């Protein structure tokens, strides 16, 4: 305040009502601190997913969902995962492996062959 007064930049003091943010889960006070953010580079992954459907390597069943698939993945941006990690939201990351030797590669049992 003194430095502002010395430079003639001080404009006064006013009361200000402040809303203290409270976490709905833990009831802790949420401190407004800027924290580093972590991002997942989704552009390359999205391009591979789009290419896989276009080439036929991956089939969407029913195919009516292809338009939504392309709309989401062709306008993909990097995904900020910091909030999910902070609040404990699960990140949808998984790996599917088919180990049934009677299932031909690329065929799905629910598709009728």
């Amino acid at each position: 305040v003194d430095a502002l007064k010395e430079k003639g930049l001080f404009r006064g003091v006013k009361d200000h009502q402040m809303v203290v943010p409270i976490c709905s889960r833990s009831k802790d006070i949420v401190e407004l601190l800027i924290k580093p953010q972590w991002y997942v580079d989704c552009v390359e992954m999205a391009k591979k997913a789009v290419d896989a459907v276009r080439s036929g390597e991956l089939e969407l069943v029913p195919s009516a969902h292809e338009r939504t698939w392309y709309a989401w993945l062709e306008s993909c941006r990097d995904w900020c995962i910091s909030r999910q990690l902070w609040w404990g939201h699960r990140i949808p990351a998984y790996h599917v492996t088919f180990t049934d030797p009677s299932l031909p590669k690329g065929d799905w049992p629910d598709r009728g062959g």
Side-chain angles (χ1 to χ4, degrees):
V1 174
D2 290 335
L4 291 173
K5 286 181 180 178
E6 287 175 15
K7 295 181 179 185
L9 300 173
F10 182 72
R11 294 176 53 185
V13 175
K14 295 180 185 177
D15 287 337
H16 175 72
Q17 287 185 340
M18 181 179 155
V19 176
V20 178
I22 306 285
C23 175
S24 62
R25 286 185 177 177
S26 67
K27 307 300 182 210
D28 291 332
I29 294 175
V30 178
E31 296 185 40
L32 302 175
L33 298 175
I34 296 175
K35 296 284 187 178
Q37 301 294 304
W38 299 292
Y39 289 84
V40 173
D41 181 0
C42 295
V43 176
E44 184 179 340
M45 179 175 50
K47 183 183 179 325
K48 288 179 180 180
V50 166
D51 292 345
V53 172
R54 285 220 166 95
S55 71
E57 179 185 353
L58 176 65
E59 180 184 359
L60 299 182
V61 179
S63 61
H65 294 298
E66 286 184 19
R67 188 169 67 152
T68 305
W69 179 266
Y70 295 129
W72 274 84
L73 295 176
E74 289 177 337
S75 62
C76 186
R77 299 181 309 206
D78 290 347
W79 175 26
C80 177
I81 62 169
S82 302
R83 187 172 187 275
Q84 281 85 356
L85 296 175
W86 180 260
W87 293 107
H89 298 301
R90 293 179 183 253
I91 296 174
Y94 54 90
H95 180 79
V96 176
T97 304
F98 293 98
T99 57
D100 184 353
S102 68
L103 188 65
K105 186 175 181 178
D107 278 353
W108 302 89
D110 62 349
R111 202 172 68 186

